[in-house]
Amino acid sequence: QQQVKQSPQSLIVQKGGIPIINCAYENTAFDYFPWYQQFPGKGPALLIAIRPDVSEKKEGRFTISFNKSAKQFSLHIMDSQPGDSATYFCAASKGSSNTGKLIFGQGTTLQVKP
Amino acid sequence: DTAVSQTPKYLVTQMGNDKSIKCEQNLGHDTMYWYKQDSKKFLKIMFSYNNKELIINETVPNRFSPKSPDKAHLNLHINSLELGDSAVYFCASSQTGSGLLNTEAFFGQGTRLTVV
């Protein structure tokens, strides 16, 4: 059972474009939604995270939009740069549990062309 | 100062062998994890240890045995390796705890295991 569904699988944009990656979750007990960025040969690194008490969070060029009623959240990358080319994963967890278990989406490979 | 370090980075071995991957974190976190990333880059949790106690075991074959000698270390031992075990294995850590909101999970660089 895939509890977090992510789309698209891959994305190509021109420099300066605004790629959008979408995720949908099933478990209403999830209350922590991070996005991770992974470069080839490296481990995933936290990019930005949101909790369901807010509908939007912005950090630099990265913005998460959160729709609790639709059980969906998305990542927007403003003014994308070639250095943003990486694989992006959304995830969800029960933030108030003592397990910290992250359920990941399938990942989106982003290529930003110069 | 690497936060989560795992060794080795690459591991090539023959079917049937037994191998171990080591992980150490210097963040003072109370929870450590092993995640598996398959050839399609899908990341899935395998195990989680909180203060040296196993708290998550996600239907992983019992050929995989994690060991946590202390809060800062979580090793993964794999017996009788199979071709299908080929993947990238990531160690991670975070600070959790009853009543606290979980914080960021830090991942190691990964160990690329290739079984031939």
Side-chain angles (χ1 to χ4, degrees):
Chain A
Q1 182 188 11
Q2 182 60 44
Q3 295 191 55
V4 179
K5 294 183 180 178
Q6 182 174 345
S7 63
Q9 189 175 353
S10 62
L11 195 49
I12 302 174
V13 300
Q14 293 293 133
K15 178 182 171 182
I18 307 176
I20 300 173
I21 305 171
N22 300 299
C23 283
Y25 63 97
E26 298 169 3
N27 190 338
T28 55
F30 290 149
D31 58 3
Y32 175 64
F33 303 91
W35 284 90
Y36 279 80
Q37 180 188 55
Q38 184 181 26
F39 292 105
K42 304 291 185 184
L46 181 69
L47 195 59
I48 186 173
I50 197 168
R51 299 189 191 274
D53 51 345
V54 295
S55 60
E56 186 174 281
K57 184 173 181 181
K58 185 176 180 181
E59 286 184 4
R61 296 184 293 107
F62 301 92
T63 300
I64 300 179
S65 297
F66 187 82
N67 185 329
K68 188 174 181 179
S69 60
K71 294 188 286 185
Q72 294 176 348
F73 57 110
S74 58
L75 176 70
H76 300 230
I77 306 176
M78 310 302 287
D79 187 27
S80 58
Q81 302 296 312
D84 296 330
S85 298
T87 301
Y88 293 81
F89 294 93
C90 63
S93 78
K94 299 176 191 177
S96 52
S97 77
N98 68 344
T99 70
K101 170 183 172 179
L102 289 168
I103 306 293
F104 283 92
Q106 298 93 321
T108 297
T109 301
L110 171 66
Q111 182 184 354
V112 181
K113 291 190 170 182
Chain B
D1 287 349
T2 305
V4 180
S5 60
Q6 53 183 109
T7 54
K9 188 169 170 66
Y10 300 98
L11 190 50
V12 181
T13 187
Q14 290 189 326
M15 282 175 56
N17 283 351
D18 303 339
K19 289 293 178 185
S20 292
I21 307 172
K22 296 186 176 182
C23 179
E24 176 182 4
Q25 55 98 0
N26 62 5
L27 297 166
H29 288 162
D30 62 358
T31 305
M32 295 185 72
Y33 315 83
W34 280 109
Y35 283 84
K36 179 180 180 179
Q37 186 169 46
D38 63 22
S39 57
K40 295 183 179 178
K41 298 188 180 177
F42 183 62
L43 274 162
K44 186 170 168 32
I45 192 165
M46 299 172 67
F47 300 103
S48 173
Y49 268 76
N50 179 265
N51 284 317
K52 300 194 300 174
E53 289 191 29
L54 179 66
I55 53 173
I56 293 177
N57 182 340
E58 290 279 316
T59 59
V60 177
N62 57 16
R63 297 183 294 104
F64 290 78
S65 52
K67 292 267 190 319
S68 182
D70 56 57
K71 215 169 72 162
H73 295 84
L74 180 62
N75 304 322
L76 182 65
H77 188 77
I78 315 170
N79 289 326
S80 303
L81 278 155
E82 300 177 357
L83 292 176
D85 297 332
S86 296
V88 182
Y89 293 85
F90 287 100
C91 177
S93 74
S94 71
Q95 184 65 28
T96 65
S98 181
L100 297 174
L101 293 179
N102 292 340
T103 57
E104 174 182 357
F106 289 80
F107 284 76
Q109 296 263 49
T111 296
R112 181 173 292 277
L113 171 65
T114 304
V115 182
V116 296

